[in-house]
Amino acid sequence: GKNMRKLTLVLMIFGLLLVGCDNDGGSDAASDADALLGTWAVSGLTDASGDRSGSLLESYNSVMITLGAGSTIAMVVDAKTEEANTSDVTDYEGSFTLDEASKALIATLSVSGQSTPLTFTYSLQGESSLKLNPVGTTTILLGVLFQTTYTDPVEFTFTKVQ
């Protein structure tokens, strides 16, 4: 009877492992959300007029977004100022939702005390590169945020920092 019990136990563990693996492989949902977690820095920007990365780099030291496990999002904008070696850092906090089916990321950030939803379509390029394309009025809102005007189609490229 002892060997039989051992065999049953081994089969049960094996069965659990199989179920575990199957669940993991079966849902792409976890992979997108997991892959997006972390801190991303804007590394490129294009719009209808062409490459806008240069003007972004001229005005800003960095633009970072951090996506947290509890659907939290923070965007930190480090703007260059007229004085040498000084900068003006603005921190926007909020939450985000993902719609994996339509590859949509909706970030709701608090901007000047107003809840501001920003909608993007996203595409992950491997593990460390992310492209965000603003949808609808988001382009206008980002223009206001960055004190400029963007013309669709706009694409932000982010590189994973950590």
Side-chain angles (χ1 to χ4, degrees):
K2 203 176 203 174
N3 278 356
M4 195 61 201
R5 216 174 26 241
K6 206 178 200 173
L7 184 66
T8 308
L9 193 66
V10 167
L11 285 173
M12 270 171 65
I13 291 167
F14 189 64
L16 283 172
L17 285 174
L18 275 180
V19 169
C21 291
D22 189 47
N23 280 355
D24 216 31
S27 72
D28 287 327
S31 60
D32 265 5
D34 289 348
L36 284 165
L37 294 184
T39 299
W40 301 83
V42 173
S43 54
L45 169 60
T46 58
D47 76 350
S49 69
D51 193 338
R52 299 282 297 266
S53 307
S55 60
L56 192 77
L57 292 171
E58 275 167 34
S59 307
Y60 299 95
N61 293 314
S62 66
V63 178
M64 308 269 217
I65 55 168
T66 301
L67 299 171
S71 295
T72 59
I73 184 168
M75 182 168 82
V76 179
V77 180
D78 184 348
K80 293 180 181 175
T81 52
E82 296 299 314
E83 296 166 55
N85 304 321
T86 62
S87 65
D88 182 12
V89 179
T90 315
D91 193 357
Y92 303 96
E93 303 277 333
S95 60
F96 75 94
T97 55
L98 273 191
D99 180 348
E100 312 242 355
S102 62
K103 296 283 186 202
L105 182 142
I106 301 157
T108 305
L109 294 172
S110 177
V111 180
S112 308
Q114 294 283 346
S115 244
T116 310
L118 301 170
T119 307
F120 302 89
T121 54
Y122 69 87
S123 69
L124 283 156
Q125 325 273 312
E127 282 176 16
S128 57
S129 183
L130 167 68
K131 291 190 187 298
L132 289 182
N133 304 87
V135 179
T137 54
T138 298
T139 300
I140 299 161
L141 289 166
L142 288 171
V144 172
L145 261 172
F146 293 113
Q147 295 165 7
T148 183
T149 310
Y150 298 122
T151 314
D152 282 323
V154 179
E155 183 167 85
F156 287 89
T157 305
F158 289 85
T159 304
K160 197 161 204 175
V161 185
Q162 59 192 44

